[in-house]
Amino acid sequence: MPATSRIWQLAFGFIGTIVLAIWLRVDVHENAYLPRSIDLLTIETHDLSNLLINSTITSIQLVQEYLRRVELDNIHGLQLRTVLNLSPLENIITTANMLDQERLNGRVRSSLHGLPVFDNMATNSSFGLTTTFGAYAFQNATIPYDAFIVKKMCEAGLIILGKTNLAELGGFKYGSLSPGWSALGGETISPYDNKQPCGSSSGSAVAVASGFAPLALGTEASGSLSCPASFTSLYTLRPSTGLFSRGGILPISSTFDTPGIFARSPWEIASLMLITTGQQTTSRRQISLAVFSASWKDIRIGFADRKWYWEPLNSENKKPEENLRLSKTYHSLGSAESRSQSLSIYWEIIHPQSSRCGTREAMYMHPNKTFSEYFPTMIGTPVKDLAELVAFNHSHEKLAFAEGRVVYYSSSIRHTELEYQALLVQAQDKAVLRGIEHALETNNLDFLLTPARSYMSIYSTCAKSPVGTIPLGKYLSGKPFGLGLVGRRFEDKKMLQMMDLYEKTFHPRIIPERMRWKRYDMLLPARYRGYF
Protein backbone atom coordinates (compact mmCIF):
# COMPACT_ATOMS: atom_id res chain seq x y z
CA MET A 1 0.00 0.00 0.00
CA PRO A 2 1.43 3.37 -0.99
CA ALA A 3 2.53 5.53 1.92
CA THR A 4 0.20 8.33 0.85
CA SER A 5 -2.86 6.06 1.01
CA ARG A 6 -1.80 4.80 4.41
CA ILE A 7 -1.48 8.36 5.69
CA TRP A 8 -4.96 9.22 4.39
CA GLN A 9 -6.43 6.13 6.07
CA LEU A 10 -4.85 7.07 9.38
CA ALA A 11 -6.06 10.65 9.03
CA PHE A 12 -9.63 9.61 8.27
CA GLY A 13 -9.53 7.08 11.12
CA PHE A 14 -8.27 9.74 13.53
CA ILE A 15 -10.92 12.26 12.44
CA GLY A 16 -13.62 9.59 12.65
CA THR A 17 -12.54 8.68 16.18
CA ILE A 18 -12.73 12.32 17.26
CA VAL A 19 -16.16 12.76 15.66
CA LEU A 20 -17.42 9.58 17.34
CA ALA A 21 -16.04 10.66 20.71
CA ILE A 22 -17.76 14.05 20.39
CA TRP A 23 -21.01 12.39 19.33
CA LEU A 24 -20.91 9.97 22.26
CA ARG A 25 -20.38 12.81 24.73
CA VAL A 26 -23.45 14.75 23.59
CA ASP A 27 -26.19 15.20 26.20
CA VAL A 28 -29.17 13.54 24.52
CA HIS A 29 -31.44 15.80 26.57
CA GLU A 30 -30.43 18.96 24.73
CA ASN A 31 -33.65 20.60 23.63
CA ALA A 32 -34.98 19.66 20.22
CA TYR A 33 -38.09 21.86 20.24
CA LEU A 34 -37.16 24.66 22.66
CA PRO A 35 -34.24 27.10 22.83
CA ARG A 36 -31.24 25.35 24.35
CA SER A 37 -31.02 28.00 27.07
CA ILE A 38 -34.18 26.55 28.67
CA ASP A 39 -33.33 23.85 31.21
CA LEU A 40 -36.42 21.75 31.93
CA LEU A 41 -34.77 20.28 35.02
CA THR A 42 -34.46 23.64 36.78
CA ILE A 43 -36.90 26.10 35.24
CA GLU A 44 -39.86 27.04 37.41
CA THR A 45 -43.40 27.31 36.16
CA HIS A 46 -43.70 31.08 36.42
CA ASP A 47 -40.64 31.40 34.16
CA LEU A 48 -42.21 29.06 31.61
CA SER A 49 -45.38 31.11 31.82
CA ASN A 50 -43.42 34.29 31.10
CA LEU A 51 -41.81 32.66 28.05
CA LEU A 52 -45.28 31.81 26.77
CA ILE A 53 -46.54 35.32 27.47
CA ASN A 54 -43.60 36.85 25.59
CA SER A 55 -44.08 34.44 22.65
CA THR A 56 -40.55 33.11 23.13
CA ILE A 57 -42.04 29.62 23.04
CA THR A 58 -45.43 28.06 22.30
CA SER A 59 -47.41 25.43 24.16
CA ILE A 60 -46.97 23.10 21.18
CA GLN A 61 -43.18 23.36 21.47
CA LEU A 62 -43.39 22.83 25.21
CA VAL A 63 -45.47 19.66 25.10
CA GLN A 64 -43.34 18.25 22.30
CA GLU A 65 -40.19 18.70 24.36
CA TYR A 66 -41.72 17.22 27.49
CA LEU A 67 -43.03 14.21 25.55
CA ARG A 68 -39.56 13.75 24.10
CA ARG A 69 -38.14 13.62 27.63
CA VAL A 70 -40.70 10.97 28.57
CA GLU A 71 -39.69 8.95 25.52
CA LEU A 72 -36.00 9.20 26.48
CA ASP A 73 -36.22 8.08 30.12
CA ASN A 74 -39.55 6.54 31.05
CA ILE A 75 -39.19 3.06 29.53
CA HIS A 76 -35.81 3.62 27.87
CA GLY A 77 -32.75 5.50 29.13
CA LEU A 78 -32.87 5.58 32.92
CA GLN A 79 -36.06 3.46 32.85
CA LEU A 80 -37.78 5.53 35.53
CA ARG A 81 -41.25 4.06 34.86
CA THR A 82 -42.92 7.18 36.13
CA VAL A 83 -45.63 7.46 33.44
CA LEU A 84 -48.34 4.82 33.16
CA ASN A 85 -49.86 6.05 29.90
CA LEU A 86 -49.94 9.15 27.73
CA SER A 87 -52.88 10.87 26.14
CA PRO A 88 -52.83 10.36 22.34
CA LEU A 89 -50.40 12.75 20.66
CA GLU A 90 -53.14 14.16 18.44
CA ASN A 91 -55.19 15.10 21.52
CA ILE A 92 -52.25 16.81 23.20
CA ILE A 93 -51.20 18.79 20.12
CA THR A 94 -54.78 19.82 19.35
CA THR A 95 -55.25 21.13 22.90
CA ALA A 96 -51.89 22.92 22.87
CA ASN A 97 -52.65 24.55 19.53
CA MET A 98 -56.08 25.69 20.77
CA LEU A 99 -54.51 27.30 23.85
CA ASP A 100 -51.82 28.96 21.74
CA GLN A 101 -54.51 30.46 19.54
CA GLU A 102 -56.45 31.67 22.56
CA ARG A 103 -53.36 33.44 23.83
CA LEU A 104 -52.79 35.09 20.44
CA ASN A 105 -56.40 36.27 20.51
CA GLY A 106 -55.94 37.85 23.93
CA ARG A 107 -57.63 35.19 26.04
CA VAL A 108 -55.52 33.93 28.93
CA ARG A 109 -57.46 31.64 31.24
CA SER A 110 -55.04 31.68 34.18
CA SER A 111 -51.41 32.07 35.21
CA LEU A 112 -50.88 28.44 34.14
CA HIS A 113 -52.49 28.80 30.69
CA GLY A 114 -50.87 26.45 28.17
CA LEU A 115 -48.71 24.50 30.60
CA PRO A 116 -48.66 20.68 30.74
CA VAL A 117 -49.43 18.57 33.80
CA PHE A 118 -49.69 14.89 34.80
CA ASP A 119 -52.31 13.38 37.11
CA ASN A 120 -53.15 10.02 38.72
CA MET A 121 -56.92 10.30 39.11
CA ALA A 122 -60.14 10.12 37.08
CA THR A 123 -60.36 11.63 33.59
CA ASN A 124 -63.19 11.15 31.13
CA SER A 125 -62.75 9.20 27.90
CA SER A 126 -62.22 12.32 25.76
CA PHE A 127 -58.60 12.40 26.94
CA GLY A 128 -58.01 8.95 25.44
CA LEU A 129 -56.76 7.68 28.79
CA THR A 130 -57.68 4.72 30.94
CA THR A 131 -58.06 5.26 34.69
CA THR A 132 -56.36 2.23 36.20
CA PHE A 133 -54.64 3.22 39.47
CA GLY A 134 -51.96 0.77 38.33
CA ALA A 135 -54.16 -2.32 38.79
CA TYR A 136 -54.33 -5.10 36.20
CA ALA A 137 -58.06 -5.48 36.86
CA PHE A 138 -58.58 -1.93 35.55
CA GLN A 139 -56.22 -1.97 32.58
CA ASN A 140 -59.08 -1.12 30.18
CA ALA A 141 -61.19 0.89 32.61
CA THR A 142 -62.49 4.38 31.93
CA ILE A 143 -64.57 6.77 34.01
CA PRO A 144 -67.29 8.99 32.49
CA TYR A 145 -66.25 12.10 34.42
CA ASP A 146 -63.20 14.11 35.49
CA ALA A 147 -61.86 14.43 38.98
CA PHE A 148 -62.87 17.82 40.35
CA ILE A 149 -59.31 19.12 40.43
CA VAL A 150 -58.67 17.87 36.86
CA LYS A 151 -61.79 19.66 35.63
CA LYS A 152 -60.62 22.89 37.25
CA MET A 153 -57.17 22.56 35.68
CA CYS A 154 -58.60 22.08 32.21
CA GLU A 155 -60.86 25.09 32.66
CA ALA A 156 -57.75 27.09 33.62
CA GLY A 157 -55.98 26.08 30.40
CA LEU A 158 -53.62 23.34 31.52
CA ILE A 159 -52.82 20.41 29.23
CA ILE A 160 -53.22 16.85 30.53
CA LEU A 161 -50.27 14.80 29.27
CA GLY A 162 -51.20 11.51 30.87
CA LYS A 163 -51.28 9.34 33.99
CA THR A 164 -48.39 8.78 36.35
CA ASN A 165 -47.47 5.50 37.98
CA LEU A 166 -48.24 5.02 41.66
CA ALA A 167 -48.21 2.46 44.41
CA GLU A 168 -51.02 0.29 43.12
CA LEU A 169 -54.43 1.47 44.32
CA GLY A 170 -52.78 4.26 46.28
CA GLY A 171 -50.75 1.83 48.39
CA PHE A 172 -53.82 -0.09 49.44
CA LYS A 173 -52.40 -3.27 47.93
CA TYR A 174 -50.65 -4.39 51.05
CA GLY A 175 -47.71 -6.70 51.66
CA SER A 176 -44.07 -6.55 50.65
CA LEU A 177 -44.66 -4.44 47.56
CA SER A 178 -42.45 -1.44 46.90
CA PRO A 179 -44.27 1.86 47.59
CA GLY A 180 -43.67 2.83 43.97
CA TRP A 181 -44.83 -0.42 42.34
CA SER A 182 -47.95 -1.26 40.36
CA ALA A 183 -48.88 -4.26 38.25
CA LEU A 184 -49.30 -2.12 35.13
CA GLY A 185 -46.43 0.32 35.62
CA GLY A 186 -43.75 -1.70 37.35
CA GLU A 187 -41.55 0.06 39.92
CA THR A 188 -41.02 3.80 39.69
CA ILE A 189 -37.34 4.68 40.10
CA SER A 190 -35.87 7.91 41.47
CA PRO A 191 -33.42 9.72 39.17
CA TYR A 192 -31.34 10.58 42.23
CA ASP A 193 -30.29 7.17 43.53
CA ASN A 194 -31.91 4.57 41.26
CA LYS A 195 -34.22 3.38 44.07
CA GLN A 196 -37.93 3.71 44.77
CA PRO A 197 -38.79 7.29 45.79
CA CYS A 198 -41.42 6.41 48.42
CA GLY A 199 -45.13 6.45 47.70
CA SER A 200 -47.86 6.19 46.97
CA SER A 201 -47.81 9.16 44.55
CA SER A 202 -44.28 8.25 43.47
CA GLY A 203 -44.78 8.66 39.71
CA SER A 204 -46.09 12.21 40.01
CA ALA A 205 -43.12 13.29 42.13
CA VAL A 206 -40.55 11.70 39.81
CA ALA A 207 -42.25 13.19 36.73
CA VAL A 208 -41.68 16.73 38.01
CA ALA A 209 -38.17 16.06 39.37
CA SER A 210 -37.11 14.43 36.08
CA GLY A 211 -38.32 17.23 33.81
CA PHE A 212 -41.28 15.32 32.34
CA ALA A 213 -43.67 18.13 33.31
CA PRO A 214 -43.53 21.30 35.42
CA LEU A 215 -46.44 20.16 37.61
CA ALA A 216 -48.14 16.95 38.67
CA LEU A 217 -51.07 15.98 40.84
CA GLY A 218 -51.00 13.29 43.50
CA THR A 219 -53.21 12.05 46.30
CA GLU A 220 -52.66 11.27 49.95
CA ALA A 221 -54.31 9.70 52.90
CA SER A 222 -51.15 9.61 55.04
CA GLY A 223 -47.66 10.52 53.75
CA SER A 224 -48.24 9.77 50.04
CA LEU A 225 -47.38 13.34 49.03
CA SER A 226 -44.85 14.39 51.65
CA CYS A 227 -42.62 11.31 51.47
CA PRO A 228 -42.03 11.22 47.67
CA ALA A 229 -41.65 15.03 47.60
CA SER A 230 -39.00 14.75 50.31
CA PHE A 231 -37.06 12.11 48.35
CA THR A 232 -37.20 14.06 45.06
CA SER A 233 -36.35 17.54 46.39
CA LEU A 234 -39.74 19.04 45.58
CA TYR A 235 -42.27 21.31 47.21
CA THR A 236 -45.66 19.90 47.96
CA LEU A 237 -48.69 20.73 50.04
CA ARG A 238 -51.09 18.26 51.52
CA PRO A 239 -53.98 20.70 51.88
CA SER A 240 -56.26 20.68 54.88
CA THR A 241 -58.59 17.74 54.48
CA GLY A 242 -61.80 19.11 52.98
CA LEU A 243 -60.24 22.17 51.32
CA PHE A 244 -60.11 20.43 47.93
CA SER A 245 -62.90 18.27 46.61
CA ARG A 246 -62.06 14.56 46.66
CA GLY A 247 -64.30 13.90 43.68
CA GLY A 248 -62.66 11.52 41.20
CA ILE A 249 -59.71 10.38 43.32
CA LEU A 250 -59.40 6.77 44.45
CA PRO A 251 -61.30 6.65 47.76
CA ILE A 252 -59.02 4.93 50.25
CA SER A 253 -60.73 6.91 53.01
CA SER A 254 -63.46 9.48 52.60
CA THR A 255 -62.35 10.83 55.97
CA PHE A 256 -58.67 11.43 55.22
CA ASP A 257 -58.18 11.47 51.42
CA THR A 258 -57.11 14.65 49.66
CA PRO A 259 -55.51 15.58 46.33
CA GLY A 260 -52.25 17.54 46.33
CA ILE A 261 -49.65 19.14 44.07
CA PHE A 262 -45.97 18.47 43.30
CA ALA A 263 -43.96 21.46 42.11
CA ARG A 264 -40.52 23.09 42.11
CA SER A 265 -41.63 26.17 44.02
CA PRO A 266 -44.49 27.35 46.24
CA TRP A 267 -45.68 29.67 43.44
CA GLU A 268 -46.96 26.77 41.36
CA ILE A 269 -48.79 25.31 44.35
CA ALA A 270 -50.38 28.68 45.12
CA SER A 271 -51.46 29.05 41.48
CA LEU A 272 -53.19 25.68 41.42
CA MET A 273 -54.77 26.28 44.81
CA LEU A 274 -56.26 29.56 43.65
CA ILE A 275 -57.50 27.90 40.45
CA THR A 276 -59.03 24.98 42.33
CA THR A 277 -60.79 27.23 44.81
CA GLY A 278 -62.23 29.37 42.00
CA GLN A 279 -59.86 32.37 42.25
CA GLN A 280 -58.48 32.82 38.73
CA THR A 281 -55.23 34.78 38.47
CA THR A 282 -53.29 35.58 35.31
CA SER A 283 -50.01 37.02 36.59
CA ARG A 284 -47.31 36.41 39.17
CA ARG A 285 -48.06 39.78 40.75
CA GLN A 286 -51.69 38.85 41.34
CA ILE A 287 -50.65 35.61 43.02
CA SER A 288 -48.10 37.44 45.19
CA LEU A 289 -50.73 39.91 46.32
CA ALA A 290 -53.26 37.14 46.98
CA VAL A 291 -50.93 34.77 48.86
CA PHE A 292 -47.32 35.85 49.39
CA SER A 293 -47.65 38.95 51.54
CA ALA A 294 -45.94 37.84 54.78
CA SER A 295 -42.49 38.30 56.31
CA TRP A 296 -40.55 36.19 58.78
CA LYS A 297 -41.78 38.43 61.59
CA ASP A 298 -45.30 37.18 60.89
CA ILE A 299 -44.34 33.52 61.43
CA ARG A 300 -43.91 31.64 64.71
CA ILE A 301 -42.20 28.27 64.44
CA GLY A 302 -41.71 25.40 66.85
CA PHE A 303 -39.72 22.21 66.41
CA ALA A 304 -41.53 19.04 67.36
CA ASP A 305 -39.99 16.83 70.02
CA ARG A 306 -36.65 15.70 68.64
CA LYS A 307 -36.75 12.44 70.58
CA TRP A 308 -39.69 11.09 68.61
CA TYR A 309 -40.16 13.22 65.52
CA TRP A 310 -36.60 13.75 64.32
CA GLU A 311 -36.22 10.05 63.67
CA PRO A 312 -37.33 8.56 60.34
CA LEU A 313 -40.03 5.90 60.37
CA ASN A 314 -37.60 3.00 59.93
CA SER A 315 -34.63 2.69 62.26
CA GLU A 316 -32.33 1.48 59.49
CA ASN A 317 -32.82 4.84 57.76
CA LYS A 318 -31.41 6.94 60.60
CA LYS A 319 -28.92 9.24 58.91
CA PRO A 320 -26.60 11.66 60.76
CA GLU A 321 -26.56 14.04 57.78
CA GLU A 322 -30.32 14.53 58.04
CA ASN A 323 -30.18 15.41 61.75
CA LEU A 324 -27.21 17.71 61.09
CA ARG A 325 -29.08 19.60 58.37
CA LEU A 326 -32.18 19.80 60.57
CA SER A 327 -30.10 21.24 63.40
CA LYS A 328 -28.52 23.85 61.13
CA THR A 329 -31.93 24.85 59.83
CA TYR A 330 -33.22 25.04 63.39
CA HIS A 331 -30.46 27.48 64.36
CA SER A 332 -30.83 29.50 61.14
CA LEU A 333 -34.55 29.96 61.68
CA GLY A 334 -34.24 30.75 65.37
CA SER A 335 -31.20 33.01 65.56
CA ALA A 336 -31.76 35.82 63.06
CA GLU A 337 -33.48 38.88 64.51
CA SER A 338 -35.35 39.36 61.24
CA ARG A 339 -37.16 36.14 62.07
CA SER A 340 -37.70 36.97 65.72
CA GLN A 341 -39.98 34.93 67.92
CA SER A 342 -39.10 31.66 66.19
CA LEU A 343 -38.41 29.23 68.99
CA SER A 344 -37.74 25.64 69.88
CA ILE A 345 -40.23 23.63 71.85
CA TYR A 346 -40.38 20.06 73.02
CA TRP A 347 -43.96 18.98 73.19
CA GLU A 348 -45.47 15.74 74.33
CA ILE A 349 -47.80 13.82 72.08
CA ILE A 350 -48.83 10.20 72.54
CA HIS A 351 -45.77 7.98 72.10
CA PRO A 352 -45.81 7.35 68.33
CA GLN A 353 -44.39 3.86 68.47
CA SER A 354 -46.76 2.53 71.12
CA SER A 355 -49.97 4.36 70.34
CA ARG A 356 -50.77 5.79 66.94
CA CYS A 357 -53.96 7.72 66.40
CA GLY A 358 -56.03 5.07 64.66
CA THR A 359 -55.42 6.31 61.13
CA ARG A 360 -54.17 3.06 59.69
CA GLU A 361 -57.01 1.02 61.14
CA ALA A 362 -59.56 3.56 59.90
CA MET A 363 -58.03 3.78 56.42
CA TYR A 364 -57.82 0.05 55.91
CA MET A 365 -61.36 -0.67 56.99
CA HIS A 366 -63.05 2.06 54.97
CA PRO A 367 -62.29 0.86 51.39
CA ASN A 368 -64.75 -1.99 51.90
CA LYS A 369 -67.40 0.72 51.67
CA THR A 370 -65.79 3.40 49.51
CA PHE A 371 -64.54 1.03 46.78
CA SER A 372 -68.02 -0.46 46.49
CA GLU A 373 -69.32 3.03 45.74
CA TYR A 374 -66.49 3.97 43.32
CA PHE A 375 -65.89 0.83 41.26
CA PRO A 376 -69.41 0.63 39.73
CA THR A 377 -68.74 3.99 38.02
CA MET A 378 -65.85 2.43 36.09
CA ILE A 379 -66.49 1.18 32.55
CA GLY A 380 -64.56 -1.73 31.02
CA THR A 381 -63.86 -3.81 34.11
CA PRO A 382 -65.77 -6.73 35.64
CA VAL A 383 -64.78 -5.62 39.16
CA LYS A 384 -67.49 -3.78 41.09
CA ASP A 385 -66.41 -4.07 44.74
CA LEU A 386 -63.44 -4.96 46.92
CA ALA A 387 -64.30 -8.64 47.24
CA GLU A 388 -64.46 -8.98 43.45
CA LEU A 389 -61.12 -7.20 43.12
CA VAL A 390 -59.47 -9.60 45.56
CA ALA A 391 -60.99 -12.58 43.73
CA PHE A 392 -59.93 -11.21 40.33
CA ASN A 393 -56.33 -10.75 41.45
CA HIS A 394 -56.09 -14.23 42.94
CA SER A 395 -57.40 -15.70 39.69
CA HIS A 396 -54.75 -13.72 37.71
CA GLU A 397 -51.84 -14.05 40.12
CA LYS A 398 -49.04 -14.00 37.54
CA LEU A 399 -50.21 -10.64 36.22
CA ALA A 400 -51.64 -9.05 39.36
CA PHE A 401 -48.91 -10.14 41.79
CA ALA A 402 -45.73 -9.78 39.77
CA GLU A 403 -43.59 -9.41 42.89
CA GLY A 404 -45.04 -12.41 44.66
CA ARG A 405 -48.37 -13.25 46.17
CA VAL A 406 -49.85 -10.59 48.45
CA VAL A 407 -53.27 -9.94 49.94
CA TYR A 408 -55.43 -6.89 50.36
CA TYR A 409 -54.89 -5.74 53.91
CA SER A 410 -58.49 -4.74 54.54
CA SER A 411 -60.10 -7.70 52.83
CA SER A 412 -60.32 -9.51 56.17
CA ILE A 413 -61.17 -6.43 58.25
CA ARG A 414 -64.82 -6.11 59.16
CA HIS A 415 -65.79 -3.21 61.38
CA THR A 416 -69.13 -1.69 62.08
CA GLU A 417 -69.85 1.99 61.46
CA LEU A 418 -69.90 2.51 65.24
CA GLU A 419 -66.39 1.04 65.54
CA TYR A 420 -65.22 3.26 62.71
CA GLN A 421 -66.63 6.38 64.37
CA ALA A 422 -64.99 5.35 67.65
CA LEU A 423 -61.61 5.24 65.89
CA LEU A 424 -62.22 8.74 64.53
CA VAL A 425 -62.96 10.01 68.03
CA GLN A 426 -59.71 8.41 69.20
CA ALA A 427 -57.83 10.11 66.35
CA GLN A 428 -59.37 13.48 67.24
CA ASP A 429 -58.33 13.12 70.85
CA LYS A 430 -54.73 12.06 70.22
CA ALA A 431 -53.89 14.21 67.21
CA VAL A 432 -55.90 17.36 67.88
CA LEU A 433 -57.04 17.80 71.49
CA ARG A 434 -53.79 16.44 72.94
CA GLY A 435 -51.62 16.78 69.84
CA ILE A 436 -51.00 19.22 67.01
CA GLU A 437 -53.67 21.83 67.69
CA HIS A 438 -52.92 21.67 71.42
CA ALA A 439 -49.19 22.25 70.83
CA LEU A 440 -49.81 25.15 68.45
CA GLU A 441 -52.34 26.85 70.71
CA THR A 442 -50.45 26.31 73.96
CA ASN A 443 -47.21 27.75 72.56
CA ASN A 444 -48.76 30.40 70.32
CA LEU A 445 -47.20 28.89 67.19
CA ASP A 446 -48.10 28.82 63.52
CA PHE A 447 -46.14 25.71 62.53
CA LEU A 448 -44.37 22.67 63.85
CA LEU A 449 -41.29 21.51 61.95
CA THR A 450 -40.13 17.88 61.65
CA PRO A 451 -38.33 15.71 59.11
CA ALA A 452 -40.70 15.29 56.17
CA ARG A 453 -40.70 11.54 56.69
CA SER A 454 -41.67 10.97 60.29
CA TYR A 455 -44.56 9.85 62.44
CA MET A 456 -45.91 13.38 62.17
CA SER A 457 -47.42 12.44 58.80
CA ILE A 458 -49.72 10.04 60.66
CA TYR A 459 -50.77 12.57 63.29
CA SER A 460 -51.31 15.35 60.77
CA THR A 461 -53.62 13.05 58.83
CA CYS A 462 -55.64 12.42 61.99
CA ALA A 463 -55.80 16.16 62.64
CA LYS A 464 -56.71 16.88 58.97
CA SER A 465 -54.00 19.56 59.09
CA PRO A 466 -52.15 21.09 56.14
CA VAL A 467 -48.68 19.61 55.66
CA GLY A 468 -46.00 21.32 53.61
CA THR A 469 -42.81 19.67 52.38
CA ILE A 470 -39.77 21.72 51.39
CA PRO A 471 -36.33 20.59 50.12
CA LEU A 472 -33.66 20.45 52.83
CA GLY A 473 -30.57 18.40 51.93
CA LYS A 474 -29.32 15.05 50.71
CA TYR A 475 -27.90 11.82 52.10
CA LEU A 476 -24.43 10.61 51.15
CA SER A 477 -26.09 8.34 48.59
CA GLY A 478 -27.44 11.39 46.75
CA LYS A 479 -31.07 10.83 47.80
CA PRO A 480 -32.65 14.13 48.87
CA PHE A 481 -34.61 14.63 52.06
CA GLY A 482 -37.02 17.36 53.06
CA LEU A 483 -38.39 19.36 55.94
CA GLY A 484 -42.00 18.96 57.01
CA LEU A 485 -44.31 21.77 58.18
CA VAL A 486 -47.57 21.17 60.03
CA GLY A 487 -50.08 23.92 60.71
CA ARG A 488 -53.64 24.56 61.80
CA ARG A 489 -56.43 23.20 59.68
CA PHE A 490 -57.50 25.57 56.90
CA GLU A 491 -54.51 27.88 57.41
CA ASP A 492 -53.11 26.68 54.08
CA LYS A 493 -52.43 30.22 52.87
CA LYS A 494 -50.10 30.85 55.80
CA MET A 495 -48.42 27.52 55.06
CA LEU A 496 -47.68 28.72 51.52
CA GLN A 497 -46.31 31.98 52.91
CA MET A 498 -43.91 30.04 55.11
CA MET A 499 -42.83 27.86 52.18
CA ASP A 500 -42.27 30.95 50.02
CA LEU A 501 -40.15 32.64 52.70
CA TYR A 502 -38.09 29.47 53.05
CA GLU A 503 -37.45 29.25 49.30
CA LYS A 504 -36.29 32.88 49.16
CA THR A 505 -34.00 32.49 52.20
CA PHE A 506 -32.38 29.08 51.97
CA HIS A 507 -30.41 27.02 49.45
CA PRO A 508 -31.99 25.94 46.13
CA ARG A 509 -33.42 22.48 45.61
CA ILE A 510 -31.15 19.64 44.45
CA ILE A 511 -31.17 18.75 40.73
CA PRO A 512 -30.95 15.10 39.57
CA GLU A 513 -27.77 15.43 37.51
CA ARG A 514 -28.14 11.83 36.29
CA MET A 515 -30.84 13.15 33.96
CA ARG A 516 -28.07 14.75 31.88
CA TRP A 517 -26.65 11.41 30.77
CA LYS A 518 -24.64 11.22 27.55
CA ARG A 519 -24.92 8.94 24.53
CA TYR A 520 -22.04 6.76 25.73
CA ASP A 521 -24.11 5.92 28.80
CA MET A 522 -26.31 3.78 26.56
CA LEU A 523 -23.45 1.27 26.55
CA LEU A 524 -24.06 0.77 30.29
CA PRO A 525 -26.92 -0.93 32.15
CA ALA A 526 -29.70 1.55 33.05
CA ARG A 527 -28.82 1.61 36.75
CA TYR A 528 -25.32 2.97 36.00
CA ARG A 529 -26.27 5.60 33.44
CA GLY A 530 -25.59 9.21 34.34
CA TYR A 531 -22.93 8.47 36.95
CA PHE A 532 -19.88 8.92 34.72
Side-chain angles (χ1 to χ4, degrees), residues 15-27 519-520:
I15 293 170
T17 301
I18 292 176
V19 170
L20 178 62
I22 294 173
W23 184 83
L24 287 172
R25 287 187 59 81
V26 169
D27 179 357
R519 285 197 179 103
Y520 62 72

Side-chain angles (χ1 to χ4, degrees), residues 59-60 92-102 159:
S59 292
I60 287 182
I92 295 173
I93 297 299
T94 298
T95 303
N97 181 60
M98 177 189 70
L99 294 168
D100 282 336
Q101 292 302 312
E102 287 184 2
I159 304 166

Side-chain angles (χ1 to χ4, degrees), residues 43-108:
I43 193 166
E44 295 182 0
T45 304
H46 57 78
D47 294 320
L48 283 176
S49 182
N50 287 336
L51 291 172
L52 289 168
I53 291 170
N54 298 330
S55 300
T56 304
I57 61 174
T58 66
S59 292
I60 287 182
Q61 289 176 297
L62 196 56
V63 297
Q64 286 176 321
E65 190 62 46
Y66 278 121
L67 291 174
R68 177 175 170 269
R69 298 301 178 93
V70 174
E71 176 64 25
L72 282 171
D73 283 307
N74 188 53
I75 301 301
H76 308 293
L78 296 187
Q79 300 177 12
L80 301 177
R81 295 182 178 86
T82 184
V83 176
L84 266 179
N85 52 352
L86 291 168
S87 184
L89 179 61
E90 182 181 358
N91 287 22
I92 295 173
I93 297 299
T94 298
T95 303
N97 181 60
M98 177 189 70
L99 294 168
D100 282 336
Q101 292 302 312
E102 287 184 2
R103 189 184 294 278
L104 287 174
N105 294 332
R107 184 191 179 195
V108 178

Side-chain angles (χ1 to χ4, degrees), residues 77 125 130 157 187 281 294 306 346 389 402 418 492 498:
S125 58
T130 52
E187 183 174 42
T281 56
R306 295 192 194 194
Y346 298 92
L389 179 58
L418 285 177
D492 301 66
M498 168 65 191

